[in-house]
């Protein structure tokens, strides 16, 4: 077969060309590097078109009506997806994409075994010519197929297809831009389709959540557009940075102490971690709202069990009702600071010693005073306002100085959920010096462990003039 002998030779030639070009990248200018990138992308589109076309052929030869004579089943694969994935080494998702777009670009199989006219000739021509990427082609075909399913005439669908291809190539649109254009065009052509599409999306909304074998709580969700908008807007609002300037409103230079403090206490979370923390914070705030449902007169409460020895030493683990995986003592200490948590203490023999109550928590009046005093999370460079903060005992609630705990405003500071958790689990310490909360860095950051005054406290006394 001609392609069986030509393709390996072409592949070998391509390897040589790619190796030669990449070896000389260091000597190219910035513009030349970008040109090479564009050239590689153009070549890749040609190869990708071939991948899609071959996958489409595999799909046709593996169609269900062929039974055991179909290509995938004759090769001992239960589906063409698994066959393509195995042969190409690609993921199941990528294999599905290739098969789907390849199938949609092919004409219908006629009774005599031949192929009917291509349903999307403009996309097929641009794809085979290497000027349209597979991702963009898939978007155009998917949106135009929706118009066909809605009963639009072939002429209207063909016009929409040609418009999307022309606009993409003429204006050098990215796949994301083409997707937005395709959605807009679909709504212009078929405005009555919005209601049935929304009904379908409403039926698909879901949230599944449960504990995995590794102890993490994992899940999947699918949100309708309006639900997703609420989630995204809430996350963006809570993560929006607040830029502090000078009293006059203009920018100001940081002092050396401020620069050191901000650098040492930088937030190193990934965006995904920030999103998880933000959603948790939103749920926790909603759960504590006055109009939330009560159980036995109390708001949402975590029931935590831990031995007295583990609580006093800060070692070992605690257990949360309903969760199989234990949590470390540091997490228990964090929860005891501000969460409505009922902590049951046991001795080594399992006898109940004390069942904690929420009197340990700072009162609403105290929290209002702390909000006025601190203005939000006291961690340097953190912008969380008081309403998003938890109250932390600067001198630990269980300590040598204050065995029963001291819940006074001169021993309380505001910390956001993330920095509160970070403080309890890291080597950082927080203490009160002359009435001002100070962070003590670990020795690996500052061998002298020089206390860093917090930056959000608003009532620090200024020296008399």
């Amino acid at each position: 077969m001609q392609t069986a002998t030509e393709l390996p030779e072409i592949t070998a030639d391509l390897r040589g060309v790619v190796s030669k070009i990449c070896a000389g990248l260091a000597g190219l200018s910035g513009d030349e590097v970008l040109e090479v990138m564009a050239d590689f992308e153009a070549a890749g589109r040609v190869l990708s078109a071939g991948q899609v076309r071959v996958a489409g052929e595999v799909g046709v030869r593996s169609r269900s009506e062929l039974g055991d004579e179909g290509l995938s089943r004759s090769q001992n694969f239960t589906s063409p997806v698994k066959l393509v994935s195995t042969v190409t080494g690609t993921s199941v998702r990528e294999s599905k994409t290739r098969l789907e777009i390849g199938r949609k670009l092919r004409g219908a199989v006629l009774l005599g075994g031949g192929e009917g006219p291509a349903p999307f000739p403009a996309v097929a021509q641009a794809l085979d010519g290497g000027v349209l990427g597979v991702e963009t082609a898939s978007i155009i075909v998917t949106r135009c197929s929706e118009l066909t399913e809605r009963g639009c005439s072939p002429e209207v669908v063909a016009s929409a297809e040609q418009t999307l291809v022309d606009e993409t190539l003429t204006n050098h649109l990215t796949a994301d831009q083409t997707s937005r254009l395709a959605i807009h065009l679909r709504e212009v052509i078929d405005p009555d389709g919005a209601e049935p599409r929304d009904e379908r999306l409403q039926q698909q909304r879901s949230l599944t959540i449960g504990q995995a074998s590794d102890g993490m709580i994992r899940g999947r969700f699918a949100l309708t557009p309006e639900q997703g908008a609420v989630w995204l807007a809430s996350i963006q609002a809570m993560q929006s940075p607040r830029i502090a300037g000078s009293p006059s409103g203009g920018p100001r230079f940081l002092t050396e102490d401020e620069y050191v403090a901000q650098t040492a206490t930088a937030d190193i979370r990934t965006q995904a971690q920030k999103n998880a923390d933000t959603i948790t914070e939103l749920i926790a705030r909603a759960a504590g709202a006055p109009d939330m449902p009560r159980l036995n007169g109390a708001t949402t409460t975590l029931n935590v069990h831990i031995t007295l020895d583990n609580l006093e030493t800060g070692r070992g683990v605690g257990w949360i009702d309903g969760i199989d995986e234990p949590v470390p003592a540091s997490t228990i200490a964090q929860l005891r600071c501000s969460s409505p948590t009922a902590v049951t203490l046991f001795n080594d023999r399992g006898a109940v010693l004390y069942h904690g109550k929420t009197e340990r928590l700072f009162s609403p009046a105290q929290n209002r005073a702390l909000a006025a005093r601190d203005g939000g999370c006291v961690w340097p460079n953190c912008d969380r306002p008081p309403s998003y903060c938890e109250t932390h005992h600067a001198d630990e609630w269980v300590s040598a100085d204050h065995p029963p705990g001291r819940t006074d405003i001169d021993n309380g500071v505001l910390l956001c959920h993330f920095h509160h958790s970070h403080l309890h689990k890291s080597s950082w310490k927080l203490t009160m010096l002359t009435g001002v909360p100070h962070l003590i860095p670990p020795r690996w950051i500052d061998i002298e462990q020089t206390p860093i005054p917090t930056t959000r406290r608003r009532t620090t006394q200024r020296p008399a003039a």
Side-chain angles (χ1 to χ4, degrees):
M1 183 176 178
Q2 188 177 12
T3 55
T5 57
E6 285 185 355
L7 283 178
E9 295 178 1
I10 294 174
T11 302
D13 292 339
L14 283 174
R15 289 197 189 100
V17 172
V18 170
S19 177
K20 182 178 179 181
I21 293 175
C22 291
L25 284 177
L28 300 179
S29 66
D31 288 343
E32 290 173 332
V33 169
L34 296 179
E35 289 178 8
V36 170
M37 179 186 292
D39 290 340
F40 272 134
E41 186 63 27
R45 284 196 293 266
V46 174
L47 294 176
S48 295
Q51 292 171 334
V52 165
R53 290 298 197 174
V54 175
E57 185 66 26
V58 170
V60 168
R61 297 190 184 196
S62 302
R63 60 190 187 277
S64 58
E65 60 263 31
L66 296 178
D68 291 338
E69 299 301 319
L71 181 57
S72 59
R73 297 187 65 172
S74 68
Q75 297 294 322
N76 295 318
F77 288 92
T78 57
S79 69
V81 172
K82 293 184 178 180
L83 173 58
V84 172
S85 179
T86 300
V87 172
T88 62
T90 56
S91 66
V92 169
R93 181 177 181 178
E94 174 63 19
S95 299
K96 283 182 178 179
T97 299
R98 292 183 186 180
L99 282 163
E100 185 68 14
I101 186 66
R103 179 186 64 80
K104 289 182 176 180
L105 289 178
R106 284 181 58 96
V109 178
L110 304 178
L111 291 177
E115 181 180 343
F120 300 103
V123 172
Q125 182 180 1
L127 182 67
D128 293 340
V131 294
L132 193 68
V134 172
E135 184 180 11
T136 303
S138 178
I139 290 170
I140 296 175
V141 168
T142 298
R143 298 307 179 194
C144 290
S145 296
E146 291 175 352
L147 293 175
T148 300
E149 293 169 0
R150 285 285 300 162
C152 295
S153 68
E155 293 77 15
V156 170
V157 176
S159 176
E161 175 199 1
Q162 190 66 59
T163 297
L164 291 172
V165 171
D166 291 344
E167 288 291 326
T168 298
L169 300 182
T170 302
N171 298 313
H172 305 286
L173 302 183
T174 65
D176 291 333
Q177 291 171 328
T178 299
S179 178
R180 288 191 288 270
L181 177 62
I183 292 174
H184 178 73
L185 184 60
R186 181 195 65 188
E187 300 308 315
V188 171
I189 294 175
D190 181 31
D192 295 333
E195 285 295 339
R197 278 193 299 272
D198 181 71
E199 179 62 28
R200 184 170 65 252
L201 294 179
Q202 294 289 345
Q203 295 299 322
Q204 293 174 350
R205 73 189 189 280
S206 65
L207 172 64
T208 58
I209 188 169
Q211 187 164 359
S213 58
D214 61 358
M216 294 289 285
I217 306 299
R218 301 182 184 277
R220 300 179 64 182
F221 66 88
L223 305 176
T224 61
E226 67 273 16
Q227 290 174 327
V230 172
W231 282 45
L232 292 175
S234 300
I235 291 174
Q236 290 167 0
M238 292 182 67
Q239 293 182 0
S240 176
R242 295 175 177 82
I243 302 175
S246 65
S248 63
R252 66 178 178 84
F253 292 103
L254 296 176
T255 66
E256 183 177 354
D257 289 343
E258 288 175 329
Y259 175 78
V260 171
Q262 291 184 14
T263 302
T265 59
D267 188 348
I268 59 173
R269 290 176 294 172
T270 65
Q271 186 58 48
Q273 291 169 337
K274 290 180 181 179
N275 290 343
D277 292 347
T278 300
I279 292 296
T280 302
E281 189 174 334
L282 278 167
I283 294 174
R285 293 189 68 215
D291 57 348
M292 280 295 288
R294 289 326 201 235
L295 290 176
N296 297 325
T299 57
T300 304
T301 302
L302 299 180
N303 292 305
V304 180
H305 309 269
I306 189 171
T307 67
L308 179 61
D309 180 64
N310 285 342
L311 180 66
E312 290 178 339
T313 61
R315 299 176 180 174
V317 299
W319 303 86
I320 301 175
D321 282 356
I323 303 296
D324 295 332
E325 186 73 12
V327 294
S330 60
T331 298
I332 303 299
Q334 176 199 346
L335 291 172
R336 285 171 61 82
C337 277
S338 60
S339 297
T341 305
V343 181
T344 305
L345 300 181
F346 298 91
N347 64 13
D348 293 338
R349 294 182 297 278
V352 176
L353 299 179
Y354 174 73
H355 193 218
K357 299 179 184 294
T358 57
E359 281 82 354
R360 179 192 71 261
L361 303 181
F362 285 84
S363 68
Q366 288 175 315
N367 283 324
R368 286 194 295 271
L370 291 172
R373 186 195 71 187
D374 294 341
C377 178
V378 300
W379 198 276
N381 208 33
C382 182
D383 60 7
R384 304 321 278 151
S387 58
Y388 292 71
C389 291
E390 302 167 354
T391 312
H392 170 77
H393 292 78
D395 294 325
E396 295 184 11
W397 193 75
V398 177
S399 67
D401 294 334
H402 310 286
R406 188 167 68 88
T407 307
D408 302 326
I409 59 173
D410 61 350
N411 190 42
V413 294
L414 296 183
L415 289 169
C416 69
H417 179 79
F418 167 70
H419 285 123
H420 193 184
S421 174
H422 179 67
L423 181 65
H424 278 283
K425 296 178 181 179
S426 70
S427 300
W428 286 84
K429 303 297 180 186
L430 191 149
T431 188
M432 301 292 283
L433 299 176
T434 63
V436 178
H438 284 65
L439 284 168
I440 301 176
R443 294 181 63 85
W444 59 269
I445 289 181
D446 179 6
I447 191 65
E448 301 293 335
Q449 293 191 290
T450 304
I452 301 172
T454 58
T455 58
R456 283 294 292 268
R457 190 180 178 90
R458 300 192 292 191
T459 58
T460 302
Q461 294 296 323
R462 296 184 179 180

